[in-house]
Amino acid sequence: MTKPSRINPVDEEALRRALDLERKSDPQRAVWLDEQVVKVGWREAGKAAARRQQYRNLRLRPWMVTPSEVNPDSEDAIGYEHRGVGRAAQLLRQLLASDLSRFEPNPIAALEAEPEKENAPA
Amino acid sequence: MVKPGRPSYTPDDRVPYGTPSRRLRPPKTLVGPEREAFVTLVAASPQGQFVAGDMDLLISWCEATVLARQAAGELTAAGGPVQQDGKTNPWFPIWRDCVKTLSALAIRLRLSPQGRNPTARASKKTVAQLSYYEEMALQESADDEAQPN
């Protein structure tokens, strides 16, 4: 039996938050997510939830990719710039530089809140 | 009362799959709040409304917008257009001139309701909200020149 790989606590928190948000957004989606948690595990279900949350919050078109789906050094393939791989990677680099997760449900709000977090008293 | 039946289809100016956006990008020389005003205006307008030849008018619009906001802020901070000694606040004529300029440019750039719809025929086309990636592309300068994205 293989031991499940450990997950970064920042990613874990973001995935759980994405699951919660996605469950609250739509009762039917909540049922589907609960099924997914049983079928493929909470981590994969969380990734699906994070992807959908990012799609909604970044107002992406169906053919675009989210920051959770790319690598920080990903680039646009020639002729496929409309998929937004380069932009997603750019956004992912900003998230990682701010110690945020790639699965952050609302990347823009999280990045905007980051300076406030730094200034907030401990 | 709710109308029966399915609402009629209203098209928007969404960019079809694989088609590059035709929206203008701000020039490198435009920075700060003026640049933000440019991106906000272009993103909120139908694509194809502005062409490279409109760039100077658009920049003037952005500068006037920012200056009008600054003048309005100064007037609010000073407690209104009339000072304690009874004289007019020097920011008041600046604000008034900016609003006049904006009003004139709005017609030229077809930004006001009158400018958008000079004839009685109302277009049913609405402006599609841009994706965040499209906004990122708009924020980038187009090699100092006005180039469609």
Side-chain angles (χ1 to χ4, degrees):
Chain A
M1 192 179 116
T2 52
K3 211 174 169 182
S5 59
R6 293 195 65 173
I7 187 167
N8 178 339
V10 179
D11 285 344
E12 182 176 340
E13 190 272 333
L15 285 174
R16 290 196 188 279
R17 198 148 33 86
L19 267 175
D20 281 349
L21 287 169
E22 196 61 7
R23 278 198 181 106
K24 282 178 195 159
S25 70
D26 182 2
Q28 273 191 320
R29 184 78 177 162
V31 172
W32 183 83
L33 279 173
D34 289 339
E35 285 171 7
Q36 287 299 108
V37 169
V38 175
K39 273 187 198 167
V40 294
W42 75 268
R43 208 182 293 181
E44 290 304 315
K47 283 179 187 174
R51 196 160 51 239
R52 194 164 134 138
Q53 285 284 321
Q54 289 186 347
Y55 257 105
R56 193 175 303 147
N57 290 319
L58 296 173
R59 305 181 300 276
L60 300 184
R61 306 280 179 256
W63 53 85
M64 291 176 171
V65 296
T66 64
S68 68
E69 296 172 292
V70 294
N71 291 320
D73 55 354
S74 297
E75 287 176 4
D76 285 319
I78 296 168
Y80 291 89
E81 291 84 0
H82 54 275
R83 295 193 66 220
V85 174
R87 302 282 172 205
Q90 192 181 338
L91 192 52
L92 175 59
R93 286 196 293 274
Q94 288 177 22
L95 286 169
L96 297 179
S98 305
D99 292 328
L100 293 166
S101 169
R102 60 163 61 231
F103 303 111
E104 191 57 53
N106 192 344
I108 306 307
L111 283 171
E112 282 173 357
E114 197 54 22
E116 289 168 26
K117 212 191 275 178
E118 279 171 14
N119 296 335
Chain B
M1 196 184 117
V2 181
K3 277 186 179 178
R6 197 176 65 174
S8 60
Y9 173 67
T10 312
D12 63 23
D13 65 346
R14 199 165 298 225
V15 181
Y17 174 76
T19 315
S21 170
R22 288 187 288 124
R23 284 192 162 84
L24 278 187
R25 288 186 191 179
K28 267 185 191 166
T29 47
L30 204 63
V31 290
E34 287 87 359
R35 192 182 184 85
E36 279 174 32
F38 186 100
V39 172
T40 307
L41 174 63
V42 170
S45 306
Q47 72 163 326
Q49 172 156 345
F50 305 121
V51 295
D54 300 332
M55 190 54 94
D56 288 336
L57 281 182
L58 275 172
I59 292 171
S60 301
W61 163 274
C62 298
E63 287 164 349
T65 304
V66 173
L67 192 53
R69 279 185 207 149
Q70 188 189 351
E74 295 288 346
L75 285 173
T76 309
V82 183
Q83 292 175 322
Q84 284 183 342
D85 57 4
K87 287 182 182 170
T88 309
N89 190 311
W91 281 102
F92 182 67
I94 297 174
W95 173 81
R96 195 182 47 205
D97 288 349
C98 284
V99 173
K100 269 188 192 171
T101 308
L102 286 174
S103 164
L105 286 172
I107 301 290
R108 298 279 169 235
L109 292 167
R110 294 171 61 206
L111 301 176
S112 61
Q114 186 193 351
R116 268 194 304 273
N117 186 18
T119 62
R121 285 186 175 187
S123 169
K124 279 190 173 179
K125 211 168 198 181
T126 56
V127 181
Q129 204 178 15
L130 295 188
S131 76
Y132 186 70
Y133 298 164
E134 287 165 319
E135 280 183 13
M136 284 168 91
L138 272 182
Q139 289 280 0
E140 287 178 1
S141 301
D143 296 326
D144 248 353
E145 267 180 65
Q147 294 271 328
N149 181 13

